[in-house]
Amino acid sequence: MMSKVEKLTERLQGIEIRKKSLGLKASVGGIGSTTAVSERRRETTSLEDKSLVYGREKDKEAILQLLLKEDESVSVSVIPIVGMGGIGKTTLARLVYNDERIKGCFDPKLWVCVSDDYDVVRVTKAILEAFTSDANKLETLNMLQKKLNEKLSGKRFLLVLDDAWNDNYADWDVLRRPFMHGAPGSKIILTTRLRNVAKITSTLCPSQLAYTLNELSKDECLSLFAHHALARPNFDAHPHLKEIGEKIVNKCKGLPLAAKTLGGLLRNESQQRVWENISDSKIWDLPEQQSNILPALRLSYHHLPSHLKQCFAYCAIFPKDYAFDKGELILLWMGVGLLPLSTEKKQMEDFGSEYFDDLLSRSFFQQSSAFESRFVMHDLLNDLTLYIAGDICFMLDKLVGDKQIEIPEGARHLSFLRQRFDGLQRFRPTYKRQHL
């Protein structure tokens, strides 16, 4: 009896640790209640970062062309920039916002961080505060929008709405009303992780509703990493660190946030042993007070509805760089009971297709560059699935010599990479696990 109590206590302690690591708070309420997230995205600023930015010149020129293009079909153009967390959307918007070529084209220029705590009144007030300190005296949305309308009326403005999450069209329709009275040629740049936000806000052509920001090339990522680690864009002064530096950058898979963060952790550190420790670490092993990679990616996960959280976590069964088929994944979701039962109007596959498309639009999946009909996850998002799934999903790696693989007791889903000479020995550990 005591052993069962001890096991239960140990399990509850594990749940408590994971609750804290995922930033969850206890919430009082029934079915309609929501789980609060303690972790909030920090405010962004329009002030230019004087440190070098690598690999974004083409992206910058493309956005500048859209900004300077005259479009008589709409009074105010909205240009969404879409990409996964940490890809550099805010950095790109900041580069454009501070470019000399647009300084005489727009007056006023405004920057507002929308963030995940979306509220029409708060965002409207934040925009108005760029003009006047009297915004705090205005309490109702009507008063705020009338005042903002006065300030923008007849002016050719540039507004950056950074980090937008709300994909409710009715909310956007209310927020944008004061903007419609700006002078022709006014522009709004909106950065978001969600393609659905781009759909409801964009004024670009239907074939390209948003500007999709992609990962940096390996060389660009390496230069960015070296800049933050060694205060120079190369390893000329530290040739002994180049090989291990390239291994670290391979972990980043072109994500600027990861290159910048890992470079910052190694700032002015020249001991190869320390670099090797970072190279061998998983993202959740890094000191969180110094690393913002996991919190940035985790924020996207927090914004998922519960049914999508389960479906995304299940993807921990896939190895890195695995190109999966949409239909294949939907069938797997069906097989483990993650999809609603069929109804008169919808089959189970239809629900699965909706779930998949939603995760794709939120940048959790991306089109494979090698196979047009398949999809992949960024390596760091793959790491995130492993972190979230914990012991529930387990990958059976190849045997190293005669070493037995210990499968966690709580493992429910098991996957393996087929080897040329698979033997029974490899699967022997599975017979002890009753929950697979």
Side-chain angles (χ1 to χ4, degrees):
M1 181 67 183
M2 183 55 68
S3 62
K4 288 185 178 182
V5 172
E6 288 173 347
K7 285 184 179 180
L8 181 60
T9 302
E10 185 179 342
R11 187 180 174 193
L12 289 172
Q13 288 172 344
I15 293 172
E16 174 67 16
I17 292 170
R18 290 187 59 74
K19 185 196 81 171
K20 290 179 180 178
S21 66
L22 288 170
L24 302 178
K25 284 183 178 179
S27 170
V28 178
I31 296 174
S33 65
T34 57
T35 302
V37 179
S38 62
E39 180 174 49
R40 293 297 179 194
R41 191 188 191 282
R42 62 186 177 190
E43 287 285 324
T44 61
T45 173
S46 65
L47 287 180
E48 194 169 9
D49 184 359
K50 292 300 181 182
S51 64
L52 293 177
V53 176
Y54 294 88
R56 292 304 185 202
E57 279 305 314
K58 288 184 179 178
D59 300 304
K60 177 182 173 183
E61 291 302 317
I63 300 297
L64 282 171
Q65 284 185 22
L66 292 171
L67 277 183
L68 299 174
K69 178 182 177 182
E70 297 295 337
D71 187 357
E72 297 179 357
S73 62
V74 292
S75 56
V76 178
S77 299
V78 182
I79 305 165
I81 300 174
V82 176
M84 67 178 284
I87 201 72
K89 302 179 294 296
T90 299
T91 298
L92 176 59
R94 190 183 294 120
L95 283 173
V96 173
Y97 187 86
N98 290 293
D99 192 271
E100 291 290 333
R101 283 168 284 180
I102 68 165
K103 283 193 174 178
C105 300
F106 301 98
D107 185 26
K109 292 198 308 174
L110 311 162
W111 180 289
V112 172
C113 180
V114 181
S115 197
D116 54 329
D117 185 19
Y118 183 89
D119 178 77
V120 174
V121 174
R122 184 188 68 80
V123 177
T124 304
K125 183 177 287 190
I127 299 170
L128 188 56
E129 283 174 346
F131 291 103
T132 173
S133 59
D134 292 338
N136 289 326
K137 299 177 183 178
L138 306 175
E139 296 180 357
T140 67
L141 178 62
N142 180 58
M143 294 167 66
L144 288 165
Q145 290 208 325
K146 285 181 67 176
K147 192 67 175 180
L148 183 57
N149 180 60
E150 292 175 14
K151 295 291 184 181
L152 295 178
S153 183
K155 294 181 180 177
R156 196 171 191 257
F157 65 86
L158 170 62
L159 169 64
V160 174
L161 294 174
D162 188 37
D163 196 29
W165 292 82
N166 191 312
D167 60 358
N168 185 304
Y169 179 76
D171 288 341
W172 169 249
D173 189 48
V174 173
L175 179 67
R176 70 174 180 168
R177 289 174 189 172
F179 309 149
M180 297 300 103
H181 297 274
S186 295
K187 299 289 199 300
I188 298 174
I189 295 175
L190 183 145
T191 71
T192 181
R193 305 183 190 191
L194 312 183
R195 194 159 291 276
N196 282 347
V197 173
K199 284 182 180 179
I200 66 169
T201 60
S202 178
T203 60
L204 301 179
C205 61
S207 60
Q208 187 191 7
L209 284 173
Y211 187 84
T212 302
L213 194 58
N214 297 313
E215 294 90 345
L216 297 177
S217 70
K218 184 176 178 180
D219 288 341
E220 292 163 347
C221 202
L222 187 63
S223 294
L224 178 63
F225 169 78
H227 174 78
H228 287 281
L230 305 172
R232 60 193 67 202
N234 53 57
F235 290 82
D236 292 351
H238 303 273
H240 67 292
L241 295 175
K242 185 175 182 181
E243 184 177 349
I244 188 67
E246 289 175 342
K247 289 181 180 178
I248 293 173
V249 167
N250 284 340
K251 292 163 65 81
C252 301
K253 279 296 178 80
L255 198 69
L257 174 67
K260 183 177 179 180
T261 300
L262 295 179
L265 288 173
L266 294 168
R267 184 74 173 178
N268 295 321
E269 179 58 68
S270 58
Q271 293 186 49
Q272 188 167 335
R273 176 181 55 80
V274 179
W275 283 54
E276 288 172 347
N277 287 340
I278 293 294
S279 176
D280 295 338
S281 298
K282 295 181 173 66
I283 56 169
W284 53 84
D285 291 333
L286 298 174
E288 192 158 327
Q289 66 273 22
Q290 295 175 272
S291 169
N292 53 359
I293 302 173
L294 187 57
L297 297 178
R298 205 162 53 196
L299 188 59
S300 291
Y301 172 77
H302 282 318
H303 274 266
L304 290 176
S306 58
H307 62 277
L308 291 185
K309 285 181 177 178
Q310 295 180 73
C311 291
F312 174 66
Y314 178 78
C315 294
I317 67 168
F318 293 145
K320 289 185 178 179
D321 298 322
Y322 178 71
F324 51 88
D325 177 76
K326 176 180 178 179
E328 171 193 26
L329 180 55
I330 290 171
L331 289 174
L332 288 168
W333 285 341
M334 288 172 60
V336 294
L338 294 180
L339 302 180
L341 296 176
S342 299
T343 64
E344 290 184 5
K345 295 183 179 180
K346 277 187 182 180
Q347 295 298 309
M348 203 180 293
E349 291 93 333
D350 298 326
F351 288 111
S353 183
E354 287 180 8
Y355 289 8
F356 186 97
D357 292 344
D358 204 347
L359 286 167
L360 179 64
S361 74
R362 294 169 184 262
S363 304
F364 285 94
F365 303 150
Q366 57 194 71
Q367 202 91 33
S368 168
S369 58
F371 307 97
E372 188 176 342
S373 63
R374 289 181 167 261
F375 301 85
V376 295
M377 286 190 296
H378 190 282
D379 276 11
L380 292 177
L381 284 173
N382 189 285
D383 285 342
L384 182 64
T385 63
L386 293 171
Y387 172 77
I388 292 164
D391 292 340
I392 301 298
C393 296
F394 184 79
M395 279 202 63
L396 193 63
D397 295 322
K398 60 184 179 182
L399 283 173
V400 181
D402 295 327
K403 184 180 178 183
Q404 285 283 345
I405 298 170
E406 186 64 32
I407 300 175
E409 285 189 23
R412 292 183 62 83
H413 309 296
L414 181 75
S415 62
F416 69 96
L417 287 172
R418 186 171 58 187
Q419 308 298 321
R420 186 174 181 183
F421 300 106
D422 280 331
L424 290 176
Q425 181 71 12
R426 184 180 179 196
F427 304 99
R428 201 174 296 279
T430 61
Y431 84 94
K432 295 180 180 178
R433 297 298 169 246
Q434 303 301 311
H435 301 297
L436 285 173

